[in-house]
Structures are given as structure tokens and as C-alpha cells.
Amino acid sequence: MTRKTFSKKELVIIAPIIVILLAVVMIIRFTAKDGKSVVIEVDGETYKTVEFGKVTEPMDIEVLGNDITLHVEITKDYARVLSSECPDKICVNMGKLTKSGQSAVCLPAKVVVKITGDGEDEIDGIT
């Protein structure tokens, strides 16, 4: 009992269903708003929140935390700590933050730069 390929009747039914499903997926993908934001906190308090969708040109935000100045760059695609007066520069070395749940922390300055979103965190795992 071997089966041949799809019959013409089956193709007439299956093909439009597949096309409709693909169209729905594409519509959802391209019309869904990306609700990610950059949140900058100083000493546990929100200092500034910027939505990625509202950034038209790169922003340089100066943040003063615990007598240490940081410069945070925010573009439409990422956020990062450009510079810090802290001694270890771990926050600068974190690089570009692009996914919900990522963060850069400057402990001496008590500053946190994190990406938040409407959905679940995009981080697969933490080591």
C-alpha cells in the first residue's frame, strides 16, 4: 500500500490553507509592535525610560550615580554603556544590549541599564 503524491482535489484544499496561514504569520510578524524599552536606574530608582521604537537617532545620556558619571548610548537597535568613571569598567565591557532581560550594571555608581519588553525575556540561559 504505497501512496502517490497529493491528488488534485487534495491540492485544491491544502494549497489555499497554507497560503492563508503564511499570510497570517507574516501579518502578525510585521504589524506586531516591539515593546522593548531601555530602563536606566540609579540607586534602585528609575532615572529614565526610552522605548526603542521612538528612537530616531542615537542618544547619549549622561547619568550621575554615586559621584560617578556614565554615558549611555541608545539607538533604535541597542543600548550600551559607552564610558564610565568607575575603576573596573565591567559595565562598559558588557557591550551592546539588544534582548529583553539583558543588563549592564555599574556597582560603584549604583547604576543599572536594562532592556525590558512586553513579552518573556529572550535570554536562553545564564552562566
PDB file of all heavy atoms in Angstrom, residues 76-106:
ATOM      1  N   LYS A  76      18.165  52.818  17.885  1.00  0.00           N
ATOM      2  CA  LYS A  76      16.912  52.092  17.656  1.00  0.00           C
ATOM      3  C   LYS A  76      17.092  50.578  17.801  1.00  0.00           C
ATOM      4  O   LYS A  76      16.124  49.849  17.928  1.00  0.00           O
ATOM      5  CB  LYS A  76      16.345  52.419  16.283  1.00  0.00           C
ATOM      6  CG  LYS A  76      17.226  51.985  15.131  1.00  0.00           C
ATOM      7  CD  LYS A  76      16.608  52.321  13.803  1.00  0.00           C
ATOM      8  CE  LYS A  76      17.551  51.845  12.716  1.00  0.00           C
ATOM      9  NZ  LYS A  76      16.886  51.430  11.531  1.00  0.00           N
ATOM     10  N   ASP A  77      18.348  50.097  17.829  1.00  0.00           N
ATOM     11  CA  ASP A  77      18.616  48.657  17.876  1.00  0.00           C
ATOM     12  C   ASP A  77      19.236  48.168  19.180  1.00  0.00           C
ATOM     13  O   ASP A  77      19.122  46.996  19.506  1.00  0.00           O
ATOM     14  CB  ASP A  77      19.557  48.263  16.726  1.00  0.00           C
ATOM     15  CG  ASP A  77      18.956  48.564  15.369  1.00  0.00           C
ATOM     16  OD1 ASP A  77      17.768  48.289  15.180  1.00  0.00           O
ATOM     17  OD2 ASP A  77      19.686  49.090  14.500  1.00  0.00           O
ATOM     18  N   TYR A  78      19.920  49.040  19.906  1.00  0.00           N
ATOM     19  CA  TYR A  78      20.638  48.579  21.101  1.00  0.00           C
ATOM     20  C   TYR A  78      20.854  49.725  22.083  1.00  0.00           C
ATOM     21  O   TYR A  78      20.668  50.897  21.761  1.00  0.00           O
ATOM     22  CB  TYR A  78      21.982  47.952  20.727  1.00  0.00           C
ATOM     23  CG  TYR A  78      22.968  48.920  20.107  1.00  0.00           C
ATOM     24  CD1 TYR A  78      23.802  49.702  20.905  1.00  0.00           C
ATOM     25  CD2 TYR A  78      23.069  49.056  18.729  1.00  0.00           C
ATOM     26  CE1 TYR A  78      24.693  50.592  20.348  1.00  0.00           C
ATOM     27  CE2 TYR A  78      23.960  49.943  18.164  1.00  0.00           C
ATOM     28  CZ  TYR A  78      24.772  50.707  18.979  1.00  0.00           C
ATOM     29  OH  TYR A  78      25.655  51.594  18.427  1.00  0.00           O
ATOM     30  N   ALA A  79      21.303  49.337  23.269  1.00  0.00           N
ATOM     31  CA  ALA A  79      21.761  50.293  24.281  1.00  0.00           C
ATOM     32  C   ALA A  79      23.092  49.769  24.804  1.00  0.00           C
ATOM     33  O   ALA A  79      23.328  48.560  24.828  1.00  0.00           O
ATOM     34  CB  ALA A  79      20.747  50.403  25.419  1.00  0.00           C
ATOM     35  N   ARG A  80      23.957  50.674  25.218  1.00  0.00           N
ATOM     36  CA  ARG A  80      25.234  50.262  25.801  1.00  0.00           C
ATOM     37  C   ARG A  80      25.797  51.390  26.649  1.00  0.00           C
ATOM     38  O   ARG A  80      25.478  52.561  26.447  1.00  0.00           O
ATOM     39  CB  ARG A  80      26.237  49.863  24.739  1.00  0.00           C
ATOM     40  CG  ARG A  80      26.727  51.004  23.885  1.00  0.00           C
ATOM     41  CD  ARG A  80      27.776  50.546  22.902  1.00  0.00           C
ATOM     42  NE  ARG A  80      28.135  51.635  21.996  1.00  0.00           N
ATOM     43  CZ  ARG A  80      29.182  51.622  21.236  1.00  0.00           C
ATOM     44  NH1 ARG A  80      29.991  50.585  21.259  1.00  0.00           N
ATOM     45  NH2 ARG A  80      29.445  52.633  20.445  1.00  0.00           N
ATOM     46  N   VAL A  81      26.651  51.010  27.595  1.00  0.00           N
ATOM     47  CA  VAL A  81      27.370  51.992  28.398  1.00  0.00           C
ATOM     48  C   VAL A  81      28.635  52.326  27.615  1.00  0.00           C
ATOM     49  O   VAL A  81      29.506  51.473  27.435  1.00  0.00           O
ATOM     50  CB  VAL A  81      27.704  51.445  29.806  1.00  0.00           C
ATOM     51  CG1 VAL A  81      28.477  52.487  30.596  1.00  0.00           C
ATOM     52  CG2 VAL A  81      26.438  51.037  30.543  1.00  0.00           C
ATOM     53  N   LEU A  82      28.701  53.551  27.125  1.00  0.00           N
ATOM     54  CA  LEU A  82      29.854  53.985  26.327  1.00  0.00           C
ATOM     55  C   LEU A  82      31.083  54.206  27.192  1.00  0.00           C
ATOM     56  O   LEU A  82      32.185  53.803  26.832  1.00  0.00           O
ATOM     57  CB  LEU A  82      29.535  55.291  25.598  1.00  0.00           C
ATOM     58  CG  LEU A  82      28.807  55.198  24.282  1.00  0.00           C
ATOM     59  CD1 LEU A  82      28.525  56.590  23.740  1.00  0.00           C
ATOM     60  CD2 LEU A  82      29.592  54.398  23.280  1.00  0.00           C
ATOM     61  N   SER A  83      30.871  54.869  28.325  1.00  0.00           N
ATOM     62  CA  SER A  83      32.011  55.148  29.195  1.00  0.00           C
ATOM     63  C   SER A  83      31.543  55.277  30.632  1.00  0.00           C
ATOM     64  O   SER A  83      30.377  55.551  30.897  1.00  0.00           O
ATOM     65  CB  SER A  83      32.720  56.440  28.765  1.00  0.00           C
ATOM     66  OG  SER A  83      31.858  57.546  28.945  1.00  0.00           O
ATOM     67  N   SER A  84      32.486  55.051  31.533  1.00  0.00           N
ATOM     68  CA  SER A  84      32.208  55.162  32.952  1.00  0.00           C
ATOM     69  C   SER A  84      33.490  55.569  33.672  1.00  0.00           C
ATOM     70  O   SER A  84      34.584  55.181  33.266  1.00  0.00           O
ATOM     71  CB  SER A  84      31.707  53.831  33.503  1.00  0.00           C
ATOM     72  OG  SER A  84      31.539  53.897  34.901  1.00  0.00           O
ATOM     73  N   GLU A  85      33.325  56.335  34.727  1.00  0.00           N
ATOM     74  CA  GLU A  85      34.476  56.746  35.533  1.00  0.00           C
ATOM     75  C   GLU A  85      34.823  55.712  36.594  1.00  0.00           C
ATOM     76  O   GLU A  85      35.765  55.919  37.368  1.00  0.00           O
ATOM     77  CB  GLU A  85      34.175  58.090  36.203  1.00  0.00           C
ATOM     78  CG  GLU A  85      34.005  59.233  35.229  1.00  0.00           C
ATOM     79  CD  GLU A  85      33.564  60.525  35.901  1.00  0.00           C
ATOM     80  OE1 GLU A  85      33.174  60.495  37.084  1.00  0.00           O
ATOM     81  OE2 GLU A  85      33.623  61.564  35.229  1.00  0.00           O
ATOM     82  N   CYS A  86      34.099  54.599  36.642  1.00  0.00           N
ATOM     83  CA  CYS A  86      34.373  53.580  37.654  1.00  0.00           C
ATOM     84  C   CYS A  86      35.704  52.881  37.348  1.00  0.00           C
ATOM     85  O   CYS A  86      36.157  52.862  36.204  1.00  0.00           O
ATOM     86  CB  CYS A  86      33.232  52.565  37.731  1.00  0.00           C
ATOM     87  SG  CYS A  86      33.020  51.563  36.264  1.00  0.00           S
ATOM     88  N   PRO A  87      36.329  52.284  38.346  1.00  0.00           N
ATOM     89  CA  PRO A  87      37.663  51.701  38.136  1.00  0.00           C
ATOM     90  C   PRO A  87      37.691  50.413  37.309  1.00  0.00           C
ATOM     91  O   PRO A  87      38.639  50.183  36.564  1.00  0.00           O
ATOM     92  CB  PRO A  87      38.164  51.430  39.560  1.00  0.00           C
ATOM     93  CG  PRO A  87      36.950  51.388  40.412  1.00  0.00           C
ATOM     94  CD  PRO A  87      35.922  52.250  39.747  1.00  0.00           C
ATOM     95  N   ASP A  88      36.657  49.575  37.386  1.00  0.00           N
ATOM     96  CA  ASP A  88      36.746  48.263  36.726  1.00  0.00           C
ATOM     97  C   ASP A  88      36.146  48.202  35.327  1.00  0.00           C
ATOM     98  O   ASP A  88      36.464  47.304  34.563  1.00  0.00           O
ATOM     99  CB  ASP A  88      36.127  47.182  37.613  1.00  0.00           C
ATOM    100  CG  ASP A  88      34.717  47.523  38.046  1.00  0.00           C
ATOM    101  OD1 ASP A  88      34.140  48.489  37.508  1.00  0.00           O
ATOM    102  OD2 ASP A  88      34.192  46.823  38.922  1.00  0.00           O
ATOM    103  N   LYS A  89      35.257  49.095  34.961  1.00  0.00           N
ATOM    104  CA  LYS A  89      34.663  49.201  33.612  1.00  0.00           C
ATOM    105  C   LYS A  89      33.892  47.947  33.170  1.00  0.00           C
ATOM    106  O   LYS A  89      33.767  47.674  31.979  1.00  0.00           O
ATOM    107  CB  LYS A  89      35.723  49.524  32.565  1.00  0.00           C
ATOM    108  CG  LYS A  89      36.603  50.703  32.883  1.00  0.00           C
ATOM    109  CD  LYS A  89      35.933  51.989  32.520  1.00  0.00           C
ATOM    110  CE  LYS A  89      36.912  53.137  32.579  1.00  0.00           C
ATOM    111  NZ  LYS A  89      36.796  53.959  33.745  1.00  0.00           N
ATOM    112  N   ILE A  90      33.391  47.158  34.105  1.00  0.00           N
ATOM    113  CA  ILE A  90      32.613  45.965  33.743  1.00  0.00           C
ATOM    114  C   ILE A  90      31.361  46.358  32.967  1.00  0.00           C
ATOM    115  O   ILE A  90      30.983  45.701  32.001  1.00  0.00           O
ATOM    116  CB  ILE A  90      32.259  45.144  35.000  1.00  0.00           C
ATOM    117  CG1 ILE A  90      33.521  44.543  35.593  1.00  0.00           C
ATOM    118  CG2 ILE A  90      31.252  44.037  34.666  1.00  0.00           C
ATOM    119  CD1 ILE A  90      33.317  43.843  36.922  1.00  0.00           C
ATOM    120  N   CYS A  91      30.735  47.457  33.353  1.00  0.00           N
ATOM    121  CA  CYS A  91      29.524  47.906  32.670  1.00  0.00           C
ATOM    122  C   CYS A  91      29.806  48.260  31.208  1.00  0.00           C
ATOM    123  O   CYS A  91      28.992  47.980  30.322  1.00  0.00           O
ATOM    124  CB  CYS A  91      28.904  49.095  33.393  1.00  0.00           C
ATOM    125  SG  CYS A  91      30.046  50.469  33.678  1.00  0.00           S
ATOM    126  N   VAL A  92      30.956  48.842  30.935  1.00  0.00           N
ATOM    127  CA  VAL A  92      31.336  49.192  29.563  1.00  0.00           C
ATOM    128  C   VAL A  92      31.611  47.925  28.759  1.00  0.00           C
ATOM    129  O   VAL A  92      31.242  47.816  27.588  1.00  0.00           O
ATOM    130  CB  VAL A  92      32.565  50.124  29.557  1.00  0.00           C
ATOM    131  CG1 VAL A  92      33.024  50.409  28.142  1.00  0.00           C
ATOM    132  CG2 VAL A  92      32.265  51.416  30.300  1.00  0.00           C
ATOM    133  N   ASN A  93      32.257  46.949  29.401  1.00  0.00           N
ATOM    134  CA  ASN A  93      32.622  45.711  28.715  1.00  0.00           C
ATOM    135  C   ASN A  93      31.430  44.792  28.428  1.00  0.00           C
ATOM    136  O   ASN A  93      31.590  43.799  27.724  1.00  0.00           O
ATOM    137  CB  ASN A  93      33.674  44.954  29.527  1.00  0.00           C
ATOM    138  CG  ASN A  93      34.981  45.705  29.588  1.00  0.00           C
ATOM    139  OD1 ASN A  93      35.315  46.463  28.686  1.00  0.00           O
ATOM    140  ND2 ASN A  93      35.718  45.527  30.666  1.00  0.00           N
ATOM    141  N   MET A  94      30.255  45.104  28.965  1.00  0.00           N
ATOM    142  CA  MET A  94      29.060  44.290  28.679  1.00  0.00           C
ATOM    143  C   MET A  94      28.661  44.387  27.213  1.00  0.00           C
ATOM    144  O   MET A  94      28.005  43.511  26.684  1.00  0.00           O
ATOM    145  CB  MET A  94      27.881  44.709  29.564  1.00  0.00           C
ATOM    146  CG  MET A  94      28.033  44.310  31.008  1.00  0.00           C
ATOM    147  SD  MET A  94      28.212  42.530  31.241  1.00  0.00           S
ATOM    148  CE  MET A  94      26.669  41.934  30.607  1.00  0.00           C
ATOM    149  N   GLY A  95      29.043  45.457  26.547  1.00  0.00           N
ATOM    150  CA  GLY A  95      28.761  45.602  25.124  1.00  0.00           C
ATOM    151  C   GLY A  95      27.330  46.047  24.863  1.00  0.00           C
ATOM    152  O   GLY A  95      26.671  46.650  25.707  1.00  0.00           O
ATOM    153  N   LYS A  96      26.841  45.695  23.668  1.00  0.00           N
ATOM    154  CA  LYS A  96      25.517  46.140  23.228  1.00  0.00           C
ATOM    155  C   LYS A  96      24.431  45.252  23.833  1.00  0.00           C
ATOM    156  O   LYS A  96      24.502  44.031  23.755  1.00  0.00           O
ATOM    157  CB  LYS A  96      25.434  46.108  21.709  1.00  0.00           C
ATOM    158  CG  LYS A  96      26.380  47.086  21.049  1.00  0.00           C
ATOM    159  CD  LYS A  96      26.330  46.987  19.542  1.00  0.00           C
ATOM    160  CE  LYS A  96      27.294  47.974  18.907  1.00  0.00           C
ATOM    161  NZ  LYS A  96      27.311  47.858  17.440  1.00  0.00           N
ATOM    162  N   LEU A  97      23.423  45.885  24.386  1.00  0.00           N
ATOM    163  CA  LEU A  97      22.270  45.184  24.938  1.00  0.00           C
ATOM    164  C   LEU A  97      21.147  45.264  23.917  1.00  0.00           C
ATOM    165  O   LEU A  97      20.740  46.358  23.521  1.00  0.00           O
ATOM    166  CB  LEU A  97      21.835  45.832  26.253  1.00  0.00           C
ATOM    167  CG  LEU A  97      22.926  46.075  27.299  1.00  0.00           C
ATOM    168  CD1 LEU A  97      22.374  46.847  28.476  1.00  0.00           C
ATOM    169  CD2 LEU A  97      23.539  44.764  27.744  1.00  0.00           C
ATOM    170  N   THR A  98      20.649  44.108  23.464  1.00  0.00           N
ATOM    171  CA  THR A  98      19.628  44.094  22.419  1.00  0.00           C
ATOM    172  C   THR A  98      18.377  43.304  22.791  1.00  0.00           C
ATOM    173  O   THR A  98      17.323  43.547  22.232  1.00  0.00           O
ATOM    174  CB  THR A  98      20.192  43.487  21.126  1.00  0.00           C
ATOM    175  OG1 THR A  98      20.654  42.153  21.399  1.00  0.00           O
ATOM    176  CG2 THR A  98      21.337  44.321  20.567  1.00  0.00           C
ATOM    177  N   LYS A  99      18.492  42.367  23.721  1.00  0.00           N
ATOM    178  CA  LYS A  99      17.373  41.471  24.030  1.00  0.00           C
ATOM    179  C   LYS A  99      16.769  41.777  25.386  1.00  0.00           C
ATOM    180  O   LYS A  99      17.465  42.211  26.303  1.00  0.00           O
ATOM    181  CB  LYS A  99      17.855  40.016  24.022  1.00  0.00           C
ATOM    182  CG  LYS A  99      18.372  39.554  22.684  1.00  0.00           C
ATOM    183  CD  LYS A  99      18.822  38.127  22.763  1.00  0.00           C
ATOM    184  CE  LYS A  99      19.360  37.657  21.420  1.00  0.00           C
ATOM    185  NZ  LYS A  99      19.827  36.284  21.483  1.00  0.00           N
ATOM    186  N   SER A 100      15.475  41.522  25.502  1.00  0.00           N
ATOM    187  CA  SER A 100      14.802  41.706  26.785  1.00  0.00           C
ATOM    188  C   SER A 100      15.485  40.854  27.844  1.00  0.00           C
ATOM    189  O   SER A 100      15.810  39.698  27.606  1.00  0.00           O
ATOM    190  CB  SER A 100      13.337  41.285  26.685  1.00  0.00           C
ATOM    191  OG  SER A 100      12.634  42.140  25.841  1.00  0.00           O
ATOM    192  N   GLY A 101      15.716  41.444  28.999  1.00  0.00           N
ATOM    193  CA  GLY A 101      16.354  40.734  30.095  1.00  0.00           C
ATOM    194  C   GLY A 101      17.843  41.001  30.220  1.00  0.00           C
ATOM    195  O   GLY A 101      18.430  40.747  31.266  1.00  0.00           O
ATOM    196  N   GLN A 102      18.482  41.526  29.178  1.00  0.00           N
ATOM    197  CA  GLN A 102      19.900  41.841  29.266  1.00  0.00           C
ATOM    198  C   GLN A 102      20.097  43.111  30.090  1.00  0.00           C
ATOM    199  O   GLN A 102      19.250  44.002  30.083  1.00  0.00           O
ATOM    200  CB  GLN A 102      20.507  42.051  27.881  1.00  0.00           C
ATOM    201  CG  GLN A 102      20.681  40.788  27.081  1.00  0.00           C
ATOM    202  CD  GLN A 102      21.349  41.065  25.747  1.00  0.00           C
ATOM    203  OE1 GLN A 102      21.020  42.030  25.068  1.00  0.00           O
ATOM    204  NE2 GLN A 102      22.282  40.199  25.369  1.00  0.00           N
ATOM    205  N   SER A 103      21.242  43.189  30.772  1.00  0.00           N
ATOM    206  CA  SER A 103      21.518  44.383  31.562  1.00  0.00           C
ATOM    207  C   SER A 103      23.017  44.604  31.692  1.00  0.00           C
ATOM    208  O   SER A 103      23.814  43.695  31.538  1.00  0.00           O
ATOM    209  CB  SER A 103      20.885  44.259  32.950  1.00  0.00           C
ATOM    210  OG  SER A 103      21.452  43.182  33.652  1.00  0.00           O
ATOM    211  N   ALA A 104      23.359  45.854  31.989  1.00  0.00           N
ATOM    212  CA  ALA A 104      24.728  46.234  32.325  1.00  0.00           C
ATOM    213  C   ALA A 104      24.633  46.952  33.665  1.00  0.00           C
ATOM    214  O   ALA A 104      23.824  47.857  33.837  1.00  0.00           O
ATOM    215  CB  ALA A 104      25.315  47.154  31.256  1.00  0.00           C
ATOM    216  N   VAL A 105      25.466  46.533  34.607  1.00  0.00           N
ATOM    217  CA  VAL A 105      25.395  47.066  35.963  1.00  0.00           C
ATOM    218  C   VAL A 105      26.742  47.679  36.341  1.00  0.00           C
ATOM    219  O   VAL A 105      27.780  47.063  36.146  1.00  0.00           O
ATOM    220  CB  VAL A 105      25.029  45.947  36.969  1.00  0.00           C
ATOM    221  CG1 VAL A 105      24.977  46.489  38.375  1.00  0.00           C
ATOM    222  CG2 VAL A 105      23.713  45.286  36.587  1.00  0.00           C
ATOM    223  N   CYS A 106      26.693  48.888  36.877  1.00  0.00           N
ATOM    224  CA  CYS A 106      27.885  49.531  37.426  1.00  0.00           C
ATOM    225  C   CYS A 106      27.680  49.598  38.931  1.00  0.00           C
ATOM    226  O   CYS A 106      26.949  50.467  39.432  1.00  0.00           O
ATOM    227  CB  CYS A 106      28.064  50.924  36.832  1.00  0.00           C
ATOM    228  SG  CYS A 106      29.582  51.712  37.405  1.00  0.00           S
TER     229      CYS A 106
END
